[in-house]
Amino acid sequence: MASEAGGAPDAELDESDLEVDLDEFDDLPTTDIETELHVHFGMAGSFPLRMADIFFASDGLHLAEYSYITPMFGLGTKKHRREASAMQEIYEVHGLDEVLLQADTVYWFNYEGIDRVVLNRGGRFGRPKLTVYPADEGARSNAYRLHENDDTDALAAELREVAEGRPFEVVVESGWGFAPRENVQRFFS
């Protein structure tokens, strides 16, 4: 099989052939959703583990779950790190629209539909945790352990800034936020 340039199949490609021209993506359709806060690399604790990025945006809250990880074949082989890096690159190059297209599941909340966002600081034995509680008490909450955000003070300040002038509150708690009854209800809902 010969390359399109007429060279041998083993001929090296010019580096410019492999680079992406970002101007090519300017003409693609866009929703023009502006991201106000991006919380990268969260992980939901049900089995299999689900990775997620959290976007507080101009039109509401987007929870983009994009990969399923099992403890033995996912965590043991560092698949979670590769998947998180790949999604971060998609976000940096293509923006929120493409992340929402690439995600396996997307939950969207209008800010009026959120009662509170709780940030548990984590601690010595646990990662920080971000939980979104809907205004409808019968609806399920969404909780994610954060794997790339160790500065919970800065994250708490950013969350409060996003919540300013909006109908939901931000609650910051110490500890790792383990609530067995709530976790079981979330698992079965």
Side-chain angles (χ1 to χ4, degrees):
M1 179 169 107
S3 67
E4 290 181 20
D10 295 332
E12 290 184 31
L13 294 173
D14 188 295
E15 283 187 30
S16 63
D17 293 339
L18 300 176
E19 291 183 24
V20 175
D21 181 11
L22 296 178
D23 293 332
E24 290 180 20
F25 298 103
D26 286 342
D27 296 331
L28 293 176
T30 179
T31 58
D32 290 328
I33 300 170
E34 293 184 32
T35 302
E36 297 175 19
L37 174 61
H38 172 209
V39 181
H40 176 61
F41 196 2
M43 198 176 294
S46 64
F47 186 81
L49 301 169
R50 292 182 323 269
M51 297 180 57
D53 277 17
I54 302 161
F55 299 92
F56 291 87
S58 57
D59 72 330
L61 174 65
H62 300 266
L63 306 172
E65 295 181 357
Y66 55 87
S67 187
Y68 294 91
I69 307 292
T70 59
M72 180 179 283
F73 298 108
L75 298 176
T77 62
K78 303 220 183 288
K79 178 183 177 188
H80 60 299
R81 298 263 177 226
R82 290 189 308 273
E83 293 286 332
S85 295
M87 189 57 81
Q88 179 65 25
E89 189 171 327
I90 288 171
Y91 176 66
E92 289 171 358
V93 172
H94 303 290
L96 178 59
D97 292 337
E98 187 64 24
V99 170
L100 298 177
L101 285 172
Q102 294 293 323
D104 296 320
T105 305
V106 176
Y107 297 101
W108 177 80
F109 292 92
N110 187 331
Y111 287 124
E112 285 77 24
I114 300 172
D115 178 53
R116 68 191 181 283
V117 174
V118 177
L119 174 64
N120 294 96
R121 294 181 181 276
R124 184 180 300 160
F125 299 110
R127 307 282 318 144
K129 177 181 167 188
L130 189 70
T131 307
V132 177
Y133 291 94
D136 176 8
E137 291 183 18
R140 109 190 237 287
S141 61
N142 295 79
Y144 303 96
R145 291 281 171 199
L146 306 179
H147 288 267
E148 283 211 353
N149 195 324
D150 293 323
D151 189 354
T152 54
D153 291 331
L155 179 57
E158 292 173 318
L159 286 168
R160 286 185 178 114
E161 188 176 315
V162 167
E164 195 172 302
R166 293 196 167 118
F168 69 93
E169 68 174 315
V170 173
V171 178
V172 180
E173 299 176 348
S174 59
W176 49 298
F178 181 67
R181 180 176 290 157
E182 182 181 327
N183 290 357
V184 169
Q185 286 175 329
R186 187 181 306 115
F187 182 77
F188 288 110
S189 66

